[in-house]
Amino acid sequence: MVTEHSEAVGDNTALALKILVAGGFGVGKTTLVGAVSEIRPLRTEELLSEAGQLVDDTDGVDQKVTTTVAMDFGRITIRSGLSLYLFGTPGQDRFWFLWDELSQGALGAVVLADTRRLEDCFPAVDYFEHRHIPFVVAVNCFPGARTYGAHDVSRALDLDRGTPVVLCDARDRDSGKEVLIRLVEYAGRMHTARLLDSVG
């Protein structure tokens, strides 16, 4: 079930949809939410600790000094009357108990992927596939990383046919906005198809 929040604004009805931003540790979830949010994003980051070194794999993200421990939150207006509430999920296994709460009422999700650590997004892909939550895979193109096409990434992740894969730069607002638009369009088609199936 999709939770929609609407409120009257003049003659128009404003619609707010909930979107999750998920993926592995250090893939750019906090960066994406911060880049696209039109409000100051809420962040629940803590410094990486020595204790965390035993469980957090920082290979490939050596410069990372903080980690999300609950969620990131931001908001973006896609067009007049349509806003998205963005909830960035924590990437480490030990915080996954929060995912069930965060996913309640979500229209869909963005799974951020880093081709240098593609296996890190497998758990997020599995999570959304098993719960039938529509998602797109957004490949965050890090400087210096080898570039792969959307078809190659789709095959490597063994995605269901039709699941969109897009290349993006999580630091760039326009790039992030395009990812969110693709998700809203895809999730809309999926929810419409399910609705038609249920009445057919």
Side-chain angles (χ1 to χ4, degrees):
M1 178 175 176
V2 178
T3 298
E4 299 175 350
H5 172 71
S6 36
E7 57 189 36
V9 180
D11 294 330
N12 300 326
T13 299
L15 183 65
L17 302 172
K18 181 179 183 181
I19 301 294
L20 298 186
V21 180
F25 176 65
V27 76
K29 299 178 296 293
T30 298
T31 300
L32 177 67
V33 172
V36 301
S37 182
E38 61 201 17
I39 61 172
R40 184 177 178 187
L42 167 69
R43 294 184 170 139
T44 58
E45 289 196 307
E46 294 293 336
L47 290 172
L48 291 173
S49 65
E50 286 184 28
Q53 290 176 353
L54 301 174
V55 289
D56 295 333
D57 178 10
T58 57
D59 283 346
V61 286
D62 311 14
Q63 305 301 314
K64 187 169 175 63
V65 294
T66 61
T67 186
T68 299
V69 295
M71 67 171 187
D72 299 312
F73 174 78
R75 186 189 74 214
I76 180 174
T77 301
I78 295 295
R79 60 171 168 73
S80 178
L82 176 61
S83 296
L84 304 181
Y85 291 146
L86 308 176
F87 292 82
T89 65
Q92 302 97 311
D93 301 10
R94 66 185 185 278
F95 295 125
W96 281 354
F97 67 92
L98 293 167
W99 284 37
D100 288 336
E101 288 295 324
L102 290 174
S103 65
Q104 288 293 321
L107 173 76
V110 172
V111 175
L112 268 178
D114 177 352
T115 56
R116 300 168 303 177
R117 300 157 51 105
L118 198 57
E119 68 281 358
D120 289 0
C121 71
F122 286 163
V125 168
D126 289 342
Y127 182 90
F128 297 121
E129 282 184 345
H130 286 118
R131 286 159 183 80
H132 305 289
I133 297 173
F135 67 95
V136 301
V137 173
V139 179
N140 192 6
C141 299
F142 286 90
R146 184 175 166 192
T147 302
Y148 293 88
H151 180 69
D152 294 330
V153 173
S154 181
R155 253 191 359 210
L157 293 175
D158 193 26
L159 297 175
D160 290 342
R161 187 174 177 179
T163 302
V165 176
V166 293
L167 306 183
C168 75
D169 181 343
R171 303 166 299 179
D172 182 76
R173 177 180 168 80
D174 289 338
S175 180
K177 188 173 178 180
E178 280 302 312
V179 170
L180 295 170
I181 290 170
R182 283 288 298 276
L183 171 62
V184 170
E185 292 171 346
Y186 175 64
R189 291 195 303 271
M190 294 292 288
H191 286 294
T192 300
R194 288 174 192 164
L195 187 62
L196 292 174
D197 285 345
S198 70
V199 296

